[in-house]
Amino acid sequence: MQHGFFDELFHHAKQITPYLSGEIGPVPELSIHISTPASETIQALYHRLAQSNPDAGSAYWLTRTWDLLCWQPVYIAFLSIYGFRTLPDIHRMAQLVQPEFIAGYRFADANHVHGDEETLIAEAGRQLTELLAFYRDQISQWSRIRPGFTNHLLADLLLGCIIKVQQFFPELTNDYLTEQAALWLNACQLPDKHLKSLSVHPQSGRLQLVRTSCCLVFKCQGRELCADCPRHPDNRK
């Protein structure tokens, strides 16, 4: 069956990363969906991450679990809005759970809304806020997870996607993208102070990001600090 916009969305999403593989159909087993309790499924993922990286510690396991839950809905929201000026029902995305990863997603139907960027970002923020509140509630049943902690991670994810938008659409100006970043932060009920994480790279003239949060991946054996990490020596002022 042809689904027009969704065929294009799924094609371009897999160009970003093959892990971002989408389809339309019923909610599959071994998936996370807002309509069904997911606490045990998310906790099982957390424990598998702990078993694979026993020395990394609980802060890393929780950070990694949260990042895995968030990345696909946010990526799809950005790709839909800036690539197609439309938005699917991201807060009802089913996300497929792999042994130590969340990759692959499914929409129940081909519903989507069109609009200008500001309108769509506001709607995406509303949906993401609802979806991520569900994830946080599910995790809170077995772990302490502070809103301040998840808000910093979400802000960094949103701003990281702004950087990616500039990579895909280099004609977009720094001022325009900074304005877009402010819209995303506001839509997700995050403070404007996070905009300070963006600056103009002195050589390339493009936006660059220094995160406010650390994913702690350096605690895993053989891994190093990310280039945009606040702990990285190049980013310490």
Side-chain angles (χ1 to χ4, degrees), residues 34-220:
I34 196 169
S35 67
T36 307
S39 180
E40 292 183 3
T41 302
I42 299 172
Q43 187 179 25
L45 173 64
Y46 173 92
H47 285 315
R48 288 194 295 272
L49 291 169
Q51 291 168 1
S52 298
N53 306 278
D55 297 330
S58 59
Y60 167 76
W61 305 329
L62 186 62
T63 300
R64 178 63 172 164
T65 299
W66 182 257
D67 283 343
L68 288 174
L69 286 167
C70 298
W71 80 277
Q72 290 194 125
V74 172
Y75 271 48
I76 291 300
F78 269 79
L79 176 58
S80 300
I81 291 173
Y82 294 104
F84 303 98
R85 299 297 187 271
T86 190
L87 182 72
D89 193 2
I90 54 174
H91 90 297
R92 297 190 68 80
M93 279 174 57
Q95 298 206 71
L96 279 61
V97 183
Q98 316 297 336
E100 296 175 27
F101 202 57
I102 293 178
Y105 56 97
R106 185 178 290 182
F107 292 103
D109 52 50
N111 290 334
H112 56 285
V113 294
H114 293 272
D116 57 34
E117 289 157 356
E118 188 167 357
T119 301
L120 292 175
I121 291 170
E123 175 61 18
R126 185 191 68 78
Q127 292 191 29
L128 286 170
T129 299
E130 182 177 340
L131 181 62
L132 301 192
F134 167 74
Y135 293 154
R136 193 164 53 240
D137 175 70
Q138 297 301 295
I139 293 174
S140 69
Q141 296 177 33
W142 48 266
S143 175
R144 182 169 180 260
I145 181 164
R146 295 176 294 102
F149 163 75
T150 57
N151 285 345
H152 276 282
L153 292 172
L154 176 59
D156 285 337
L157 178 56
L158 295 173
L159 297 178
C161 284
I162 289 289
I163 300 295
K164 287 182 170 61
V165 168
Q166 189 168 50
Q167 293 170 354
F168 282 99
F169 302 101
E171 70 276 9
L172 299 179
T173 67
N174 293 339
D175 287 345
Y176 167 80
L177 288 167
T178 302
E179 292 171 358
Q180 294 294 293
L183 291 175
W184 279 101
L185 292 172
N186 181 64
C188 292
Q189 302 175 25
L190 298 169
D192 282 350
K193 68 179 182 180
H194 289 287
L195 291 174
K196 295 178 181 178
S197 300
L198 294 174
S199 62
V200 178
H201 191 280
Q203 276 75 49
S204 70
R206 294 189 174 190
L207 291 178
Q208 63 179 355
L209 170 68
V210 176
R211 297 164 55 97
T212 60
S213 62
C214 175
C215 70
L216 303 175
V217 72
F218 72 93
K219 293 193 172 186
C220 298

Side-chain angles (χ1 to χ4, degrees), residues 18-35:
Y19 293 112
L20 202 57
S21 179
E23 56 188 358
I24 293 178
V27 176
E29 293 185 17
L30 296 178
S31 70
I32 297 173
H33 190 269
I34 196 169
S35 67

